Amino acid sequence: MSERSSDALAGARSGLSRFRSALSRNSLRIVFLVIILLSAAAVVSASMGNELSTASQEEVPEAPATENHTVVTESGRAGTITVYSPDGEVRYYDNSRTKYFDADPVEGDPMTIEYTATDTIHSEGPTCTDPPCALNVIERVDLEAENPEPEVVYERYDYKETAGEWHDADRINETHVVVADIVADQVFVVNTETEVVDWLWDAQSDFPVEEAGPYPEDWAHINDVEYIDEEGDPNDGRIMASLRNQDQVVFLDREEGLVEDWTLGSENEYDVQYEQHNPDYIPESQGGPAVVVADSENGRVQEFQREDGEWTRTWEWQDDVIQWPRDVDRLPNGHTLIADSHGNRVIEVDESGEIVWEVGSTLPYEAERLETGAESEGGQSAQALGLESRTDDDSGGGGGGGDDGLFGFDPLGWAGDVLENILPHRVHNGLLFATPIWMGANEFAAIGIALLAGLAWLGLEITWQLRDAGVRFRLPFYRQGD
Ligand SMILES: O=[N+]([O-])c1ccc(OS(=O)(=O)O)cc1
């Protein structure tokens, strides 16, 4: 073959290989672009699908009719307190505080409620470098007044914005209230008329600061407190408190302090409970001693019965929707009221575990059925009622990758399920807390897939550019003689 024709052949070959390479590069570009566009479309369509909002009174959804009034509080996306009439209409709504937490009916006057709320004071920067940063209040509102107006019962300014709240206070009598102070990791009893603090327990007296949450930012996170006023009960006169970050519910004697052998749970023993909220004590006279509690990071509500000096789990409830529940109350009719925070709903389940009442809420903190006593005051233990437990397996669980998609397969639902299974609970719930209500595991998966595709595309483009410019990389290890 002549030199000229072999040059022409080599030229044609290299042209063909450049064409092939351009073709494969363009095919890959199209694949990446399609993945990114499909992911974006999934996220945009989710953002248009969920209309639930409680940011104003007009937007709050109506509830189904039920006996008695229901209070729902929120803190996070919107700070709201809503009271539903038995017919399901909104009777009272307020969003003037930044965050609303635990609400209770006032003893003997169920249509007057008392609750804790926090105002965030944005002074100097996002984390507040110029205190005061928060105003914590206990407020009371008479729902039967012509124009119900909250009245401050007790308040205190605090120096931090993160974990600078009071999530619960419980009235002991007409003058005294016990407060769960997240800011200082303390439980204190204050006379709200004189504002003199009569008693105080400091979690540092019994728990090491090296364990649990970061000290001093958010160490114990004491998110619930209950005064036990039950003559004849082993815990009469004691205070029950929930140390979220220690995964423990403790009993405090006003003379002796921590009553060690009554503690429920232990630090990082997540099989028992994992960053619980809103435990309620059910006394002996109502089938206890028992504690019904929202096991938040485990996505279930549960109850423990005191038997032979130990706590035994006697009931649990979850379905495939429940995500980060933060309140559970046993009602006098044997039903259980649950605030399912990232399930975006408040539900009532009956003795067999069926949902019999439900209302949407963007991030409920707690739910209270008025006229049934504060929290679980009028309820009986699961053991006394013979309640049936229900777990995710019983309810047919999971299943984003189920049958809605093409040929019965929904790839995004499947990716969402995978993500939910591999993400630690706290990370998943943190993402749900920080993002809009319409975002869930599927949307996180779509964003993750788009980011990965984008990064892979960028990496390939850079490699191609360098290769075209004649830059070659050597592996950091090579054979002798190379
Ligand atoms: O609204 N907050 O600031 C807020 C809400 C919830 C929260 O976590 S929780 O575990 O105490 O509910 C902490 C802070």
Side-chain angles (χ1 to χ4, degrees), residues 1 41 45 59 66 86 130 155 370 377 380 418:
M1 201 188 290
S45 118
E59 291 169 283
T66 184
D130 182 21
E155 65 179 8
L370 300 179
E377 198 178 279
Q380 287 196 290
V418 170

Side-chain angles (χ1 to χ4, degrees), residues 310-329:
E310 301 208 330
W311 290 110
T312 309
R313 184 181 290 113
T314 44
W315 178 75
E316 64 182 305
W317 188 93
Q318 67 182 174
D319 64 1
D320 56 345
V321 176
I322 197 168
Q323 186 77 34
W324 206 45
R326 287 186 295 170
D327 187 28
V328 55
D329 293 352

Side-chain angles (χ1 to χ4, degrees), residues 164-186:
E165 304 115 27
W166 296 345
H167 289 191
D168 191 21
D170 197 27
R171 188 156 279 282
I172 295 178
N173 55 38
E174 280 189 12
T175 50
H176 288 74
V177 169
V178 55
V179 179
D181 182 7
I182 290 183
V183 189
D185 302 302
Q186 294 171 341

Side-chain angles (χ1 to χ4, degrees), residues 75-76 99 101 161 163 165 167 182 221 223 244 277 324 326 365 433:
S75 47
K99 312 160 187 182
F101 296 100
E161 200 174 286
E165 304 115 27
H167 289 191
I182 290 183
H221 203 101
N223 60 12
R244 185 198 73 175
H277 285 80
W324 206 45
R326 287 186 295 170
Y365 182 81
F433 191 79

Side-chain angles (χ1 to χ4, degrees), residues 16 18 21 23 30 32 219 227 235 273 278 349 375 397 479:
L16 189 65
R18 252 182 282 133
S21 140
L23 193 67
I30 290 169
F32 284 129
W219 173 54
Y227 175 66
N235 286 304
Q273 58 187 1
N278 259 303
V349 301
E375 317 209 79
R479 280 172 298 173

Side-chain angles (χ1 to χ4, degrees), residues 223-242:
N223 60 12
D224 187 81
V225 72
E226 182 175 330
Y227 175 66
I228 301 166
D229 186 9
E230 283 292 328
E231 235 183 277
D233 189 271
N235 286 304
D236 182 39
R238 288 179 180 165
I239 290 164
M240 185 180 77
S242 161

Side-chain angles (χ1 to χ4, degrees), residues 207 245-249 263-274 276:
F207 293 88
N245 289 353
Q246 276 80 3
D247 311 299
Q248 289 170 62
V249 176
T263 298
L264 167 59
S266 58
E267 161 110 46
N268 296 344
E269 208 182 304
Y270 299 144
D271 287 352
V272 178
Q273 58 187 1
Y274 188 0
Q276 75 287 343

